[in-house]
Amino acid sequence: MELDLSLGDTPKPVPFADQKTKDLGFYMGLESGRQIQDCHQKNSNDDEKTNCSSSSSDRPPLQLDLLPFSPALHQSPPPPPSHRPFPWLSQILIAETGFRKLGKGLDVKPLTAIYDPDNCDEPGAVQYSPDNSNSDTSSFQMDFSSIFKSSTGSSRLPSRKRELELSTVNLDYLGETSERDQRVSSRGGGGYGGTSDEDENGLGRKKLRLTKEQSAFLEDSFKEHNTLNPKQKLVLANQLNLRPRQVEVWFQNRRARTKLKQTEVDCEYLKTCCETLTEENRRLQKELQELRALKTSQPFYMQHPATTLTMCPSCERVVTTTPATAATTTTTLRQEPVDGHP
DNA sequence: TACGTAATGTGATTTACGTCA
DNA sequence: AGTGACGTAAATCACATTACG
């Protein structure tokens, strides 16, 4: 008789895991970060076909919910998505003139949204018409019903269409020539950040410290979707007076931070699992020794052909039954009171 | 000085598009 | 003319790393 407990490749159900998982409010999994990320990303987009099969295990992944208003970590769940659109979107819809003060006093550029069906020949088409008459304000026309419908992957428009679409944005107003130009230049070895600052003043890498308000705003956006499609990026950048690339980088770094923390939690949890299983293994080994001792000290039982060892499914105690004598010996596998044993 | 994080560099992947047999 | 294979460009991502405040 061999007891073999291991933490090998084959996932074995851990009875306490489910309960613990519920208690902690997250799931456990050992999938790669990419999978978790992808799943999260896909699930977070309504129009995206959710194809997040648990390939590596049937167990749901350990999902650390680091989002401030996540139901898993907060007693009062957030309003449903339908009531909480993109934070900046709500501001866009609200703001018509002048500055709009956000929660913590963030001044964002008010944007006027006008849907023009005549100029909107396809879903998602956006018309930005920056209003530079007032240097502090802008307006653009956009189909809000479809702007955030798709996410990064599925929203990829044909290049020509996208170029056309993005060309309607006054990128000069956004403080950059065009994102592709910058990418090209960054691939050239100079690095992205050099286009504006470096080229202008010849200084090295300039690190912008985002304001609390900008960070909070980005954080709110991240809560909604942890990835951005090009339109979202542009709108958000416009709202925060940042370059789209900065918004993109912020989201990338934010995802990395989330993943890092997720990994830490995974490690901590696995450590706990390991300790628990080690303890369980130790206890079972001891139990085995006792059974072996019982076998040698009471050979009569072993000679009896009708003796069987069964385990009570309810209390998980091993029951040694000898029908001829109706003698029953129980061995507890769990350190629990035996009162409830049938 | 350590730390948090914005910024950069790189390789992989996906998508759209043009060309050619 | 329609079609599939193939190459290319662009966009975006994760990841590792750098460097600034």
Side-chain angles (χ1 to χ4, degrees), chain A residues 79-272:
Chain A
S82 59
H83 298 145
R84 269 170 55 87
F86 285 92
W88 69 84
L89 175 58
S90 60
Q91 297 304 320
I92 291 169
L93 294 172
I94 290 170
E96 292 282 344
T97 57
F99 276 91
R100 169 75 183 176
K101 212 77 166 173
L102 282 182
K104 294 178 181 177
L106 168 64
D107 286 325
V108 294
K109 287 184 175 180
L111 299 167
T112 305
I114 302 168
Y115 176 65
D116 183 0
D118 294 332
N119 293 326
C120 189
D121 42 4
E122 67 175 19
V126 182
Q127 283 200 341
Y128 303 83
S129 71
D131 179 8
N132 289 330
S133 59
N134 181 347
S135 61
D136 288 331
T137 60
S138 70
S139 65
F140 60 88
Q141 300 175 348
M142 125 184 338
D143 174 11
F144 286 109
S145 65
S146 57
I147 183 171
F148 297 135
K149 203 165 66 177
S150 52
S151 70
T152 312
S154 63
S155 73
R156 271 198 184 131
L157 302 170
S159 299
R160 291 283 168 79
K161 289 182 182 175
R162 184 163 36 198
E163 280 179 31
L164 196 63
E165 200 168 315
L166 296 182
S167 69
T168 64
V169 181
N170 188 335
L171 291 174
D172 291 333
Y173 171 77
L174 295 175
E176 63 177 356
T177 53
S178 87
E179 207 163 353
R180 196 201 308 159
D181 292 343
Q182 294 191 349
R183 287 204 173 269
V184 168
S185 73
S186 78
R187 296 276 174 174
Y192 167 81
T195 49
S196 57
D197 294 333
E198 283 180 27
D199 289 350
E200 285 174 9
N201 51 29
L203 296 176
R205 180 198 293 198
K206 271 255 171 150
K207 183 171 179 176
L208 167 76
R209 196 75 185 179
L210 295 178
T211 66
K212 271 185 182 178
E213 290 77 18
Q214 284 174 319
S215 295
F217 201 62
L218 288 165
E219 199 69 42
D220 278 347
S221 307
F222 187 82
K223 275 187 285 179
E224 298 295 333
H225 284 139
N226 62 359
T227 56
L228 292 172
N229 65 34
K231 293 172 200 161
Q232 293 169 335
K233 194 198 318 177
L234 282 175
V235 172
L236 194 50
N238 199 12
Q239 290 267 284
L240 295 174
N241 271 326
L242 296 172
R243 282 171 285 134
R245 172 65 180 164
Q246 287 178 295
V247 174
E248 179 181 315
V249 166
W250 188 91
F251 269 74
Q252 286 174 0
N253 286 324
R254 183 64 177 81
R255 282 192 295 269
R257 284 196 290 272
T258 299
K259 188 176 180 182
L260 185 64
K261 295 214 170 191
Q262 175 70 47
T263 303
E264 288 173 4
V265 170
D266 285 350
C267 286
E268 201 58 37
Y269 184 66
L270 287 174
K271 195 174 149 191
T272 305

Side-chain angles (χ1 to χ4, degrees), chain A residues 14 18 58 85 99 130 267 277:
Chain A
V14 185
D18 288 336
D58 289 331
F99 276 91
C267 286
L277 286 172

Side-chain angles (χ1 to χ4, degrees), chain A residues 308-324:
Chain A
T308 56
L309 285 174
T310 58
M311 179 180 283
C312 173
S314 61
C315 62
E316 292 190 14
R317 280 187 298 163
V318 173
V319 181
T320 307
T321 308
T322 309

Side-chain angles (χ1 to χ4, degrees), chain A residues 285-297:
Chain A
Q285 292 285 3
K286 186 180 173 186
E287 190 75 32
L288 179 61
Q289 281 187 353
E290 289 175 1
L291 285 172
R292 280 177 175 156
L294 186 68
K295 173 186 170 184
T296 53
S297 64

Side-chain angles (χ1 to χ4, degrees), chain A residues 58-76:
Chain A
D58 289 331
R59 226 179 303 158
L62 175 65
Q63 192 80 39
L64 170 64
D65 199 330
L66 297 169
L67 304 182
F69 291 98
S70 160
L73 296 178
H74 297 270
Q75 290 184 343
S76 55

